[in-house]
Amino acid sequence: MKQLLRLVLLPCLIIVVILPRVAAQCPGSGMDTLLIEKFEEGVPLDWTTPETSDGGQWQVNAFPIGYFPNPGYGKWLYVNDERTNKVGKAKVESPSVDLSDYEGGAFLEFDLLFQEYADSSVFHLEVWDGDNWIKAWEVDQDFSGRLQVDLTPLIHPQIKIRWSFDDEGAWAWGMGIDNVVVYGKVIECGNGVCEVGESPENCPGDCPQRTEASAYWVPVGQDLQGQKVNYRDFRGRTICDDCAEPIELGFPLDFFGTSFQEVFLNSNGNLTFERDFLSYTPESFCLSGPKMIAPFFSDVDIATGGQLQYYKDPDQHYAIFTWSDVGYYGCDFPCELTNTFQAILVDSTVQHIGHYPIPHGANVIFTYGDMSWTTGNSSGGVEGLAGSPATVGLNKGEGTICNDYGTFDHDSHQYLGNTQDLQCPPNGIQHLDYLTLFLSATDGVFLEPSTHIDIVVKSKEEKNVLLWTIDNTEGSAYFIVQRGADSLSFEDLEWVDPLHPIEPGAYTFTDTTPLPEDNYYRIWHLKKNGEAQFSSVEHVRMASNPTGASELGQPEWSIESNPTFYIQKIGPNPFEQELNVQFFSPDDHRLACKLFNRAGMLVWESSLASQEGENFKTLRVGSLASGEYVLHMIHPKGKAYKRLIRR
């Protein structure tokens, strides 16, 4: 049976129970430490400890309170009601801290032991905002651990903290604190990481703004092709909490190398294999026990609002599971904070959702609508946030192999990374709004989203002009323009940097090398993670396609001047430490030569003299790691690119 911890919490401040953790390896900049006190040298002079109402004293040493030790280490500051039975009320105040420059976020952390007895005593945490003492937290049940308080709503030059113990006129045990830290974060836009205090409004380059449903979202009542179909209600729409339903998929799903044809749909935001999983308090992966696919492992309670529905493809190739506007446990009906999310399981025959391609190897897709809460009341949540963070990812179930996209426990756009590999703190729930994630459950990895490339080619004045548009360049390394004499064999013509479009998402290239009568073109989209994707193949005959770009619904193109420098031959390929290059130069001039690896990093550069006409040169590039490379040769009247292999 779920138990509720009775808390009184100021709505604008969030208390988080911190689990033990190792040093963070997350991206982004760190915090400035503004106050730190371990009490190893006693009570500092700038701390205030007023006399308690009945004469009990604050103490600093390493002794326990009765049976209960310091949750931190070494000496601590505590008041012992059990020993004197005279404490009554006791307070201790920190010195003031200036938070005025830390709009990126400010936080208090401390170790707390609070032990009541027979419903006597209460602990208060208060924050001075420059004008008033504001109650941040109140607890009247035993607690031992580390707490984090978000002070960001109270940015002010004179913040102070006050810890209070009240035995409520009866014998109790007592309370103590240790390792008090206040730290703050200055907003730093432009580092590519959405951190605490940053949002699409103040850091649009770091925090993505998604306000509409993803192209991969499948509305309830539709199949993957957008046709109307009938969905089934979870457990026949019987209202229940912490429930499960076994579902035959009708197709094999490869999960970490094992094939399954049945899943258990669990109400608390996950799917498991072999058995159901009714736990309502989420944990960070890797876990022992549940073989789990978790679009949002959290304490969902359909009784507070929303629906859970699913659809099985009658041709037995995919299944869709959708949590629509669901609330959390402990929220009043109808819950004002709701989450909408979806898991789609597919076999290898499913390659598109609508007109949008699925990355090669993806057999699990997570898509999200509007996300508002992270945690139920029985998991330490307060008004849907804090407590045990919700988890997104895959868990093999043997305690060591998993892949989590991250945990989520607060209301922000912050995303620093996953918890299990990068040892990151929980992320902000708004990061998931209208997001789509692709996973290979076979390998237990997340995949980059596919992109859709449209290409148009026209012939004009002995030139072939290409224009291509792409809907997503995130993670792109290069576009490679390729030409062939037929639709099967191609050679590289140009490597195009995705950072230099002619307009957002649009790129152009003019082919003026000696052209045969028939030309076949395609664009190879190369990503930094090694994935590659080709556009469709477009065929054009010289001067046979006078159609203007605007007539094709594309923007007008700028036609580049006719480059007359080009590479004739290059080898050996694969190469070792030398490359022989035969090229044509329109005049006497020095050339810049650069060699880049597949991720776009410069690994070698030099220059060489050329003479008008045909040239033959040897480039000594030295020892390089095995892999794919691209050679750039740049002349004032042209440039050329060739893809090479180092084995």
Side-chain angles (χ1 to χ4, degrees), residues 84-97:
T84 64
N85 197 22
K86 288 186 177 181
V87 170
K89 297 179 180 179
K91 299 180 180 180
V92 60
E93 298 175 11
S94 75
S96 62
V97 181

PDB file of all heavy atoms in Angstrom, residues 84-97:
ATOM      1  N   THR A  84      18.728  16.131  27.303  1.00  0.00           N
ATOM      2  CA  THR A  84      18.417  17.158  28.310  1.00  0.00           C
ATOM      3  C   THR A  84      16.935  17.266  28.634  1.00  0.00           C
ATOM      4  O   THR A  84      16.568  17.736  29.713  1.00  0.00           O
ATOM      5  CB  THR A  84      18.889  18.528  27.815  1.00  0.00           C
ATOM      6  OG1 THR A  84      18.137  18.883  26.640  1.00  0.00           O
ATOM      7  CG2 THR A  84      20.365  18.507  27.477  1.00  0.00           C
ATOM      8  N   ASN A  85      16.085  16.873  27.681  1.00  0.00           N
ATOM      9  CA  ASN A  85      14.640  17.031  27.834  1.00  0.00           C
ATOM     10  C   ASN A  85      14.269  18.474  28.145  1.00  0.00           C
ATOM     11  O   ASN A  85      13.297  18.747  28.839  1.00  0.00           O
ATOM     12  CB  ASN A  85      14.089  16.099  28.925  1.00  0.00           C
ATOM     13  CG  ASN A  85      12.570  15.937  28.809  1.00  0.00           C
ATOM     14  OD1 ASN A  85      12.003  16.158  27.739  1.00  0.00           O
ATOM     15  ND2 ASN A  85      11.932  15.563  29.904  1.00  0.00           N
ATOM     16  N   LYS A  86      15.083  19.432  27.668  1.00  0.00           N
ATOM     17  CA  LYS A  86      14.804  20.837  27.939  1.00  0.00           C
ATOM     18  C   LYS A  86      14.902  21.700  26.684  1.00  0.00           C
ATOM     19  O   LYS A  86      14.959  22.913  26.798  1.00  0.00           O
ATOM     20  CB  LYS A  86      15.808  21.385  28.967  1.00  0.00           C
ATOM     21  CG  LYS A  86      15.612  20.890  30.380  1.00  0.00           C
ATOM     22  CD  LYS A  86      16.565  21.603  31.296  1.00  0.00           C
ATOM     23  CE  LYS A  86      16.339  21.175  32.750  1.00  0.00           C
ATOM     24  NZ  LYS A  86      17.253  21.888  33.673  1.00  0.00           N
ATOM     25  N   VAL A  87      14.966  21.109  25.530  1.00  0.00           N
ATOM     26  CA  VAL A  87      15.251  21.910  24.340  1.00  0.00           C
ATOM     27  C   VAL A  87      14.125  22.869  24.002  1.00  0.00           C
ATOM     28  O   VAL A  87      14.339  24.049  23.792  1.00  0.00           O
ATOM     29  CB  VAL A  87      15.558  20.990  23.139  1.00  0.00           C
ATOM     30  CG1 VAL A  87      15.623  21.801  21.857  1.00  0.00           C
ATOM     31  CG2 VAL A  87      16.876  20.277  23.377  1.00  0.00           C
ATOM     32  N   GLY A  88      12.901  22.405  23.945  1.00  0.00           N
ATOM     33  CA  GLY A  88      11.799  23.274  23.528  1.00  0.00           C
ATOM     34  C   GLY A  88      11.928  23.646  22.073  1.00  0.00           C
ATOM     35  O   GLY A  88      11.684  22.839  21.190  1.00  0.00           O
ATOM     36  N   LYS A  89      12.377  24.875  21.810  1.00  0.00           N
ATOM     37  CA  LYS A  89      12.583  25.342  20.446  1.00  0.00           C
ATOM     38  C   LYS A  89      14.033  25.777  20.274  1.00  0.00           C
ATOM     39  O   LYS A  89      14.585  26.437  21.150  1.00  0.00           O
ATOM     40  CB  LYS A  89      11.656  26.503  20.112  1.00  0.00           C
ATOM     41  CG  LYS A  89      10.167  26.131  20.163  1.00  0.00           C
ATOM     42  CD  LYS A  89       9.290  27.325  19.838  1.00  0.00           C
ATOM     43  CE  LYS A  89       7.809  26.934  19.892  1.00  0.00           C
ATOM     44  NZ  LYS A  89       6.931  28.093  19.599  1.00  0.00           N
ATOM     45  N   ALA A  90      14.638  25.423  19.140  1.00  0.00           N
ATOM     46  CA  ALA A  90      16.028  25.777  18.866  1.00  0.00           C
ATOM     47  C   ALA A  90      16.156  26.208  17.411  1.00  0.00           C
ATOM     48  O   ALA A  90      15.562  25.595  16.526  1.00  0.00           O
ATOM     49  CB  ALA A  90      16.944  24.591  19.141  1.00  0.00           C
ATOM     50  N   LYS A  91      16.962  27.272  17.169  1.00  0.00           N
ATOM     51  CA  LYS A  91      17.153  27.783  15.816  1.00  0.00           C
ATOM     52  C   LYS A  91      18.629  28.067  15.576  1.00  0.00           C
ATOM     53  O   LYS A  91      19.351  28.423  16.505  1.00  0.00           O
ATOM     54  CB  LYS A  91      16.346  29.067  15.598  1.00  0.00           C
ATOM     55  CG  LYS A  91      14.837  28.891  15.748  1.00  0.00           C
ATOM     56  CD  LYS A  91      14.102  30.201  15.529  1.00  0.00           C
ATOM     57  CE  LYS A  91      12.594  30.003  15.690  1.00  0.00           C
ATOM     58  NZ  LYS A  91      11.846  31.270  15.490  1.00  0.00           N
ATOM     59  N   VAL A  92      19.064  27.937  14.325  1.00  0.00           N
ATOM     60  CA  VAL A  92      20.404  28.337  13.920  1.00  0.00           C
ATOM     61  C   VAL A  92      20.298  28.980  12.541  1.00  0.00           C
ATOM     62  O   VAL A  92      19.569  28.498  11.673  1.00  0.00           O
ATOM     63  CB  VAL A  92      21.375  27.134  13.904  1.00  0.00           C
ATOM     64  CG1 VAL A  92      20.915  26.052  12.941  1.00  0.00           C
ATOM     65  CG2 VAL A  92      22.783  27.593  13.552  1.00  0.00           C
ATOM     66  N   GLU A  93      21.023  30.105  12.350  1.00  0.00           N
ATOM     67  CA  GLU A  93      20.934  30.878  11.117  1.00  0.00           C
ATOM     68  C   GLU A  93      22.305  30.997  10.469  1.00  0.00           C
ATOM     69  O   GLU A  93      23.319  31.200  11.141  1.00  0.00           O
ATOM     70  CB  GLU A  93      20.389  32.283  11.398  1.00  0.00           C
ATOM     71  CG  GLU A  93      18.986  32.302  11.973  1.00  0.00           C
ATOM     72  CD  GLU A  93      18.551  33.706  12.353  1.00  0.00           C
ATOM     73  OE1 GLU A  93      19.254  34.677  11.969  1.00  0.00           O
ATOM     74  OE2 GLU A  93      17.517  33.846  13.040  1.00  0.00           O
ATOM     75  N   SER A  94      22.326  30.906   9.139  1.00  0.00           N
ATOM     76  CA  SER A  94      23.552  31.088   8.373  1.00  0.00           C
ATOM     77  C   SER A  94      23.815  32.578   8.168  1.00  0.00           C
ATOM     78  O   SER A  94      22.908  33.401   8.331  1.00  0.00           O
ATOM     79  CB  SER A  94      23.419  30.411   7.011  1.00  0.00           C
ATOM     80  OG  SER A  94      22.591  31.187   6.149  1.00  0.00           O
ATOM     81  N   PRO A  95      25.037  32.945   7.790  1.00  0.00           N
ATOM     82  CA  PRO A  95      25.267  34.321   7.351  1.00  0.00           C
ATOM     83  C   PRO A  95      24.560  34.570   6.022  1.00  0.00           C
ATOM     84  O   PRO A  95      24.111  33.635   5.348  1.00  0.00           O
ATOM     85  CB  PRO A  95      26.788  34.378   7.193  1.00  0.00           C
ATOM     86  CG  PRO A  95      27.199  32.976   6.934  1.00  0.00           C
ATOM     87  CD  PRO A  95      26.259  32.124   7.744  1.00  0.00           C
ATOM     88  N   SER A  96      24.454  35.834   5.617  1.00  0.00           N
ATOM     89  CA  SER A  96      23.786  36.165   4.363  1.00  0.00           C
ATOM     90  C   SER A  96      24.674  35.804   3.173  1.00  0.00           C
ATOM     91  O   SER A  96      25.907  35.800   3.259  1.00  0.00           O
ATOM     92  CB  SER A  96      23.430  37.657   4.315  1.00  0.00           C
ATOM     93  OG  SER A  96      24.600  38.440   4.369  1.00  0.00           O
ATOM     94  N   VAL A  97      24.031  35.475   2.068  1.00  0.00           N
ATOM     95  CA  VAL A  97      24.706  35.094   0.829  1.00  0.00           C
ATOM     96  C   VAL A  97      24.140  35.940  -0.301  1.00  0.00           C
ATOM     97  O   VAL A  97      22.921  36.093  -0.417  1.00  0.00           O
ATOM     98  CB  VAL A  97      24.503  33.594   0.522  1.00  0.00           C
ATOM     99  CG1 VAL A  97      25.221  33.208  -0.756  1.00  0.00           C
ATOM    100  CG2 VAL A  97      24.978  32.733   1.679  1.00  0.00           C
TER     101      VAL A  97
END
